[in-house]
Amino acid sequence: LLPLDKCGHMYHPASMKQYLKAERDASRLPLICPNTECKIELSQLDFKDFLEPAMREKLDQMIFKRLIEANPDDFSLCPTPDCSYVFVWDAGKDTNNFACPSCNHHYCLNCRCNFHEGQTCRSIKLVQNSLMMIRSLLISLKE
């Protein structure tokens, strides 16, 4: 048995690994001690004691993503689906053109669409919605 870093409750490594995997798979955060009467959050030392590096990495990514999502005024993710570039955007800046140094795409930070110099975010959204409606209509006509 090994003790948890902050609360000292003792757990068998295999049981704790199973608990952490289940919590990760269910996207439950924060991760707390499995003792139902204990509400103490687990530490990075606990992850190191009970998880192999690959699972720790997945868990760290989930925690990091949740941190970013919980603090949208402080952090932003590049809008490209497979890009994990994180940045801080000062809403008071003169420009809303974001050029991601990781994936090289350009976005408007106001509406998260491709950068559209000379067009308003509203007009871009209207065009995108119209295109989506046309695609849906064409798909339904093919069926």
Side-chain angles (χ1 to χ4, degrees), residues 39-62:
K39 302 296 181 206
I40 295 179
E41 195 170 332
L42 301 178
S43 74
Q44 287 294 321
L45 288 175
D46 295 325
F47 301 152
K48 188 175 181 181
D49 286 344
F50 293 103
L51 300 174
E52 68 276 350
M55 190 169 166
R56 274 199 322 265
E57 177 68 26
K58 289 179 184 178
L59 199 53
D60 286 345
Q61 288 174 356
M62 185 179 85

Side-chain angles (χ1 to χ4, degrees), residues 46 67 90 99 131 133 137:
D46 295 325
L67 172 71
D90 181 3
L131 289 173
M133 287 174 41
L137 180 61

Side-chain angles (χ1 to χ4, degrees), residues 61-114:
Q61 288 174 356
M62 185 179 85
I63 292 168
F64 184 65
K65 186 176 181 192
R66 189 68 59 91
L67 172 71
I68 292 165
E69 291 169 351
N71 297 284
D73 293 337
D74 298 324
F75 303 104
S76 293
L77 274 172
C78 174
T80 303
D82 293 336
C83 184
S84 58
Y85 186 78
V86 177
F87 61 97
V88 176
W89 178 52
D90 181 3
K93 278 187 168 181
D94 292 338
T95 182
N96 59 354
N97 181 6
F98 169 68
C100 180
S102 181
C103 70
N104 298 314
H105 283 89
H106 290 258
Y107 291 97
C108 170
L109 291 175
N110 291 329
C111 66
R112 303 293 178 164
C113 294
N114 288 330

Side-chain angles (χ1 to χ4, degrees), residues 10-38:
M10 304 288 281
Y11 292 96
H12 188 276
S15 299
M16 193 63 177
K17 180 179 177 180
Q18 185 176 3
Y19 167 77
L20 290 171
K21 184 178 181 327
E23 294 297 287
R24 184 204 66 202
D25 291 348
S27 295
R28 280 192 278 269
L29 289 176
L31 295 170
I32 59 171
C33 174
N35 183 325
T36 56
E37 295 176 13
C38 181

